[in-house]
């Protein structure tokens, strides 16, 4: 075999491997590909959100009434923020049905600290099966329940189903939290 044939064979092999390789996100389906965008430069202006970003095992929903973002915890305490009051306001997109945001109780596999996570508030299984958005009800202890399909999701276990018919975990979005700034994006 000559040099040209060997180089051609190696190039062909590399191209084949690259076509079938996937990133870790694609393999694990860790993050949803649904559109999501929210940026809050000072979470302290919403006490409910601040508590959920700073305290392990605490979660809140993020919704909007068109004029305000509304943060609600499992005990129905709310912190509304006028949309125009958000520093650096550049628009937002709250996924299918809003967000559920909070800090995990224990670090994820391969992590050294418990991070802030963000899930879509819509039941992923109802959406996948019927193409409808059924908002989850936040429960104490880090759980969210769908009153339509009766599944309960464990928010501290990467949104996996803890009670009900097995299915897919909650849709999850990329989130960054530091220096009291929260950015959710996809």
């Amino acid at each position: 075999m000559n040099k040209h044939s060997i180089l051609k064979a190696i190039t062909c092999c590399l191209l084949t491997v690259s076509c079938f390789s996937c990133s870790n996100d694609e393999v694990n389906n860790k993050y949803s590909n649904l559109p999501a965008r929210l940026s809050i430069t000072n979470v302290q202006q919403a006490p409910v959100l601040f508590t959920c970003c700073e305290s392990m095992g605490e979660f809140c929903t993020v919704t909007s009434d068109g004029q305000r973002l509304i943060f609600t915890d499992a005990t129905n305490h709310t912190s509304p923020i006028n949309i125009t009051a958000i520093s650096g306001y550049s628009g937002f997109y709250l996924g299918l049905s809003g967000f559920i945001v909070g800090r995990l109780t224990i670090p994820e596999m391969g992590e050294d600290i418990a991070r802030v996570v963000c899930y879509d508030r819509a039941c992923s299984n109802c959406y996948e099966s019927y193409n409808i958005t059924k908002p989850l009800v936040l429960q104490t202890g880090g759980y969210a329940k769908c009153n339509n399909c009766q599944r309960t999701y464990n928010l501290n276990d990467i949104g996996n189903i803890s009670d009900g018919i097995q299915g897919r975990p909650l849709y999850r979005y990329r989130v960054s939290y530091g220096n009291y700034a929260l950015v959710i994006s996809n």
Side-chain angles (χ1 to χ4, degrees), residues 10-54:
I10 290 172
T11 303
C12 186
C13 287
L14 289 174
L15 285 173
T16 302
V17 169
S18 69
C19 287
F20 291 106
S21 67
C22 298
S23 71
N24 285 341
D25 288 352
E26 291 168 330
V27 171
N28 298 329
N29 294 324
K30 185 175 182 177
Y31 297 107
S32 168
N33 61 359
L34 296 168
R37 181 178 65 245
L38 178 65
S39 178
I40 300 174
T41 57
N42 184 4
V43 300
Q44 292 170 316
Q45 64 187 336
V48 167
L49 178 62
F50 177 71
T51 298
C52 293
C53 289
E54 292 290 321

Side-chain angles (χ1 to χ4, degrees), residues 1-10:
M1 209 184 258
N2 65 25
K3 267 184 166 178
H4 183 66
S5 296
I6 292 172
L7 285 174
K8 194 173 182 181
I10 290 172

Side-chain angles (χ1 to χ4, degrees), residues 73-145:
D73 67 15
T75 60
N76 285 323
H77 290 104
T78 62
S79 295
I81 300 177
N82 288 335
I83 292 171
T84 55
I86 297 173
S87 200
Y89 173 71
S90 61
F92 61 91
Y93 192 82
L94 300 180
L96 295 172
S97 193
F99 297 137
I100 297 175
V101 176
R103 185 176 291 276
L104 299 172
T105 54
I106 59 172
E108 288 184 68
M109 188 75 87
E111 298 282 329
D112 55 349
I113 60 169
R115 298 192 184 277
V116 173
V117 294
C118 178
Y119 305 104
D120 201 291
R121 189 172 154 241
C123 174
S124 53
N125 289 285
C126 287
Y127 186 73
E128 296 269 330
S129 298
Y130 309 111
N131 203 28
I132 56 174
T133 56
K134 293 294 183 179
L136 299 169
V137 177
L138 203 56
Q139 299 178 325
T140 57
Y143 294 93
K145 183 173 183 173

